[in-house]
Amino acid sequence: MLKKIMTGALALTLGMSLLGCGTSENKQAELPKVPKAEAAQPAAADYLRSYALVMDGLYDYAVKGQDDKLVNEGMNVIREIVEIYQRDSASMIGYTLKDFNGDGVPELVLGRAEQHKGAGYYGSDIYSVYTLVDGRPLRSFEGWQRNRLQVLSGSRLFLQATDGDAYSVLAAYKIAPTGEPECLDYYFTAPQNGGLAYYHNTSGSNDRNASKRLNMTEDAFEELRNEYMNDVTMLELIPVENYHKQGAKGLAYQHLKLDWLRDVQADVQQYGMVKVPNASEFVKVVLRSDKSLSNFKVLSLTLLSVDEQGNAHFDAKPVYRQELLMADTPLVMQLADTEAVPANAIAFDDELGRERRFAVSISGMDGSLQLSEI
């Protein structure tokens, strides 16, 4: 599958493959060669420690300017950022852990920490994704300037690639248990009779003969792009400069999941139930976390102001408290109608002792539930 993706990207990036390679003449650390057919089954509990080969070299490069430990694979964009921004890049580049393929082993994600909300840093642009195969890091994906990589709902990855006006790619991938990319949908354009032709396959290739030609217009292609972009989700990231003092502690957003009660296929009577003041019959949700949340609270929000950056500031009053919300223990919440402004939020303390607050809102586009740190 890696070869198929590289084949598709070569035509778009003039010799650069989707997975990329280092261009520095300095000797660098190499990622271990791992058999592709073996499933990821590491036994280590501290997953970030398993990614130390990647993270130690990245920290030294971004913070100290030393690249002798920097791995070759997955560092193309990061090299450009460090060369331009020098020491400031250590606060711009972030890392996080997220389980993309559902095997219980989180992937290491390097990306752009572009927003600071509450106690967390967030971003949607990904530079590299590494997975653990046989307990060792294996690079699965890499994005760069003309190959933009982002996360979609359902733990999928979205790739946008361009090479001039004639060649464009919109593609969705997932990470297989082997750690390799698996193409779900691959749409691409190619010049045809003075215009553009549109193609689709699930192999991740730009081979027109192996793809289905679509009866698609430029507007329809852009509409498809917008549909993908509307499904892009944020990741909570930790700035690289905090790697040695924070490790993976304090990550919260990726552990939370909020669903409409009507969409949960389970006996809700066995769940805990919270009903806030002025609760709406139409706002019943189920909160789950894959790790325990200490000093858990449900908050009632009153909007106070919105600053110049568009950040909302609220007065928050607790309406429910629970000393510990256990991992994988759903909690049903009947909340107030959010309308245009969030009316409720959840709060808890992370491993660093920081209170984290996440407002509950409803998307005006598709009616999905959203959690946003405040």
Side-chain angles (χ1 to χ4, degrees):
M1 181 61 69
L2 295 179
K3 292 181 179 179
K4 292 179 181 178
I5 294 178
M6 291 173 67
T7 300
L10 279 171
L12 295 172
T13 56
L14 303 179
M16 295 179 68
S17 72
L18 173 63
L19 298 181
C21 59
T23 57
S24 173
E25 294 180 358
N26 296 330
K27 184 177 181 181
Q28 299 172 314
E30 296 283 351
L31 289 179
K33 304 301 181 183
V34 183
K36 296 180 180 179
E38 296 182 10
Q41 296 288 343
D46 186 353
Y47 293 112
L48 190 61
R49 184 175 300 172
S50 299
Y51 289 114
L53 176 64
V54 177
M55 288 303 306
D56 289 348
L58 174 58
Y59 178 87
D60 286 352
Y61 184 49
V63 175
K64 304 176 184 178
Q66 302 171 357
D67 69 351
D68 55 307
K69 295 181 181 178
L70 191 68
V71 300
N72 279 317
E73 296 88 344
M75 294 293 168
N76 283 309
V77 171
I78 287 173
R79 279 192 168 279
E80 293 178 3
I81 294 172
V82 175
E83 288 174 3
I84 295 173
Y85 297 101
Q86 302 295 314
R87 176 60 177 79
D88 289 342
S89 64
S91 62
M92 301 167 63
I93 301 169
Y95 66 94
T96 193
L97 297 175
K98 177 178 172 60
D99 184 4
F100 280 94
N101 56 16
D103 64 354
V105 180
E107 277 68 44
L108 170 68
V109 181
L110 306 180
R112 179 186 175 194
E114 56 186 304
Q115 296 182 23
H116 187 194
K117 295 183 177 181
Y121 293 83
Y122 295 85
S124 61
D125 286 333
I126 295 174
Y127 302 144
S128 302
V129 180
Y130 301 83
T131 191
L132 290 177
V133 177
D134 213 17
R136 300 177 181 180
L138 170 72
R139 178 209 48 201
S140 290
F141 282 93
E142 181 177 5
W144 62 79
Q145 185 177 8
R146 291 191 174 186
N147 278 23
R148 188 180 187 186
L149 194 62
Q150 296 172 295
V151 177
L152 299 173
S153 64
S155 295
R156 297 167 297 148
L157 289 156
F158 174 44
L159 172 71
Q160 298 183 73
T162 61
D163 184 17
D165 296 331
Y167 297 96
S168 295
V169 168
L170 304 176
Y173 291 87
K174 68 178 182 179
I175 298 178
T178 59
E180 292 187 324
E182 182 176 327
C183 185
L184 300 173
D185 285 293
Y186 192 91
Y187 298 89
F188 68 97
T189 65
Q192 181 82 28
N193 298 328
L196 292 178
Y198 300 86
Y199 298 87
H200 173 263
N201 61 59
T202 57
S203 64
S205 168
N206 284 335
D207 185 351
R208 302 184 204 182
N209 295 326
S211 306
K212 179 181 179 181
R213 183 169 178 179
L214 304 175
N215 183 20
M216 179 178 275
T217 64
E218 181 178 357
D219 288 344
F221 190 77
E222 290 306 310
E223 183 178 345
L224 178 62
R225 185 195 306 275
N226 291 334
E227 288 178 6
Y228 275 122
M229 290 299 297
N230 290 335
D231 197 29
V232 168
T233 62
M234 302 291 282
L235 288 176
E236 183 184 355
L237 301 159
I238 300 173
V240 168
E241 62 184 358
N242 296 340
Y243 167 56
H244 282 304
K245 64 180 180 181
Q246 186 172 345
K249 292 181 179 179
L251 289 172
Y253 183 70
Q254 276 89 266
H255 297 283
L256 304 174
K257 183 174 176 56
L258 192 66
D259 295 299
W260 287 107
L261 177 60
R262 61 177 178 263
D263 296 332
V264 176
Q265 303 297 321
D267 181 7
V268 299
Q269 294 183 355
Q270 60 183 321
Y271 297 169
M273 175 71 182
V274 177
K275 185 176 181 179
V276 305
N278 301 315
S280 168
E281 283 295 322
F282 304 103
V283 188
K284 296 180 180 179
V285 303
V286 178
L287 173 70
R288 284 171 284 192
S289 172
D290 60 17
K291 70 176 181 180
S292 297
L293 305 178
S294 64
N295 194 23
F296 177 81
K297 296 186 286 287
V298 178
L299 307 175
S300 177
L301 300 178
T302 301
L303 180 66
L304 298 177
S305 64
V306 179
D307 61 28
E308 294 180 354
Q309 288 72 42
N311 298 313
H313 300 273
F314 297 90
D315 175 50
K317 295 182 179 179
V319 294
Y320 174 82
R321 296 177 185 268
Q322 185 171 328
E323 184 176 348
L324 185 68
L325 181 63
M326 296 296 294
D328 302 316
T329 303
L331 178 68
V332 177
M333 300 185 296
Q334 186 173 345
L335 306 178
D337 193 348
T338 64
E339 296 183 348
V341 179
N344 294 108
I346 61 169
F348 53 88
D349 295 342
D350 65 18
E351 301 105 313
L352 300 176
R354 306 174 301 183
E355 183 179 63
R356 310 294 296 273
R357 295 180 174 185
F358 292 87
V360 179
S361 60
I362 302 173
S363 170
M365 300 189 66
D366 60 9
S368 63
L369 292 166
Q370 299 176 334
L371 288 171
S372 301
E373 188 160 10
I374 57 176

